[in-house]
Amino acid sequence: MIRHPEVPDLLEQYMEATGSAERWVTVREIRLFFQLDESAGPALSGFLQKIHHGPFISCPYKVARMEKFRDTAPPYRIIKKYLVQERPAQKNHR
């Protein structure tokens, strides 16, 4: 798998560009938005799964839910969609 250390920043840019604090996204939507080739897909989906299972400190978003659905066009692949939400701001304890 090709490493893409910019993935957290890309997700943040994508969410800011759409003006949403919460929205359903697919890896394909993010790839098309940034004009990335298919080799970026595994890194994007891996990161989205990572922030679903636990916090990623430097990313202000989390994945609240993941769902699978069948593509409506051949080859009828199973596609995951991710409900990305802005995390609540951390309170500064002094």
Side-chain angles (χ1 to χ4, degrees):
M1 177 172 82
I2 298 172
R3 294 218 178 261
H4 291 273
E6 72 281 3
V7 169
D9 292 332
L10 292 177
L11 178 61
E12 191 170 348
Q13 290 174 37
Y14 180 78
M15 292 299 287
E16 288 173 359
T18 61
S20 301
E22 174 181 298
R23 72 173 288 144
W24 285 98
V25 301
T26 64
V27 168
R28 185 172 191 267
E29 289 171 338
I30 297 171
R31 277 193 319 97
L32 291 175
F33 183 83
F34 290 106
Q35 299 176 348
L36 301 170
D37 63 29
E38 289 186 13
S39 69
L44 290 166
S45 65
F47 181 73
L48 291 167
Q49 289 180 47
K50 182 176 185 172
I51 63 174
H52 175 67
H53 296 296
F56 191 81
I57 303 303
S58 65
C59 184
Y61 295 94
K62 66 180 181 177
V63 172
R65 288 179 42 198
M66 291 190 307
E67 293 184 2
K68 294 179 183 178
F69 66 96
R70 185 172 296 281
D71 196 357
T72 58
Y76 303 110
R77 297 174 295 201
I78 301 296
I79 298 173
K80 285 184 184 174
K81 63 181 179 178
Y82 305 87
L83 180 59
V84 178
Q85 296 176 335
E86 191 169 11
R87 288 190 307 175
Q90 299 256 338
K91 292 182 181 176
N92 196 1
H93 296 271
R94 292 182 187 189

